[in-house]
Amino acid sequence: MRALVAVVLLLAMTGCGILPTDVQDRGSAPTVRIPPPTKTIFLLRNGKLMREPADVEDDTVDSVLTALFDASAHPLGDRDTALRGFTYLRTRNSINPPQRDEIQLPRTSTLTVYISGDGTLTKLGMAQIVCTAQQDAAFEVVKIVRENEGRPPKDEGRHTCPELN
């Protein structure tokens, strides 16, 4: 019995051979950084529409239009934009229309793009907006509305990319 107790005590004192240590922080946990998605926006080169890649926050038409309007704040090299002086505000689509008084409003595929800014929105500027937005195949028509503070909204028309290009 004494021999058994001695063996148990000896094993308890030696453990598994690994000495206990305090917790040690050796740096950050390994993580994966996923780059933002790349989509296409339409800029101008020699007065003609050209597709250009743009990093966007997500895969929505709002994110792509934000990238289009943000491009005018950066040097574009041999490219240009007809949207200088204009600001992108928001969009509204009619793909999933609201239901009113138990009647479902008609489903259309119009995207309304709201912008602000002074000056003339040229045909090339409209084409940049419309062609960029219509890369989302859900939208058959893009309506552009200009909203400036202190003035009533101005409808810039309903367009498709082929008609403006």
Side-chain angles (χ1 to χ4, degrees):
M1 181 76 153
R2 280 188 187 173
L4 182 58
V5 171
V7 169
V8 169
L9 281 175
L10 183 61
L11 285 175
M13 290 173 37
T14 60
C16 63
I18 299 174
L19 297 175
T21 61
D22 291 332
V23 175
Q24 297 178 0
D25 189 3
R26 299 280 180 153
S28 301
T31 58
V32 175
R33 184 178 178 279
I34 300 172
T38 300
K39 297 294 269 182
T40 302
I41 61 174
F42 283 83
L43 294 177
L44 305 175
R45 183 176 287 140
N46 298 326
K48 295 186 180 196
L49 287 178
M50 300 299 289
R51 293 175 184 261
E52 294 291 332
D55 290 337
V56 294
E57 278 193 37
D58 53 45
D59 207 18
T60 63
V61 70
D62 285 310
S63 188
V64 177
L65 287 170
T66 297
L68 173 66
F69 280 82
D70 286 350
S72 65
H74 303 291
L76 297 174
D78 64 339
R79 298 160 298 163
D80 198 8
T81 179
L83 298 173
R84 292 192 199 283
F86 292 98
T87 305
Y88 169 70
L89 300 174
R90 67 188 177 283
T91 59
R92 189 187 82 222
N93 73 59
S94 58
I95 291 177
N96 295 311
Q99 188 167 340
R100 294 196 182 131
D101 298 329
E102 304 300 323
I103 298 171
Q104 181 75 29
L105 296 176
R107 180 179 177 173
T108 62
S109 55
T110 299
L111 177 72
T112 304
V113 178
Y114 294 89
I115 63 171
S116 67
D118 293 319
T120 303
L121 181 61
T122 64
K123 183 178 176 182
L124 280 174
M126 286 185 224
Q128 283 184 264
I129 296 169
V130 172
C131 294
T132 297
Q134 280 195 310
Q135 292 179 101
D136 185 334
F139 304 113
E140 292 177 22
V141 176
V142 176
K143 178 180 176 181
I144 302 171
V145 176
R146 190 184 320 200
E147 290 184 341
N148 288 323
E149 199 170 316
R151 289 185 255 170
K154 179 181 178 189
D155 186 342
E156 297 283 354
R158 299 166 58 95
H159 308 281
T160 63
C161 185
E163 95 186 30
L164 294 171
N165 198 356

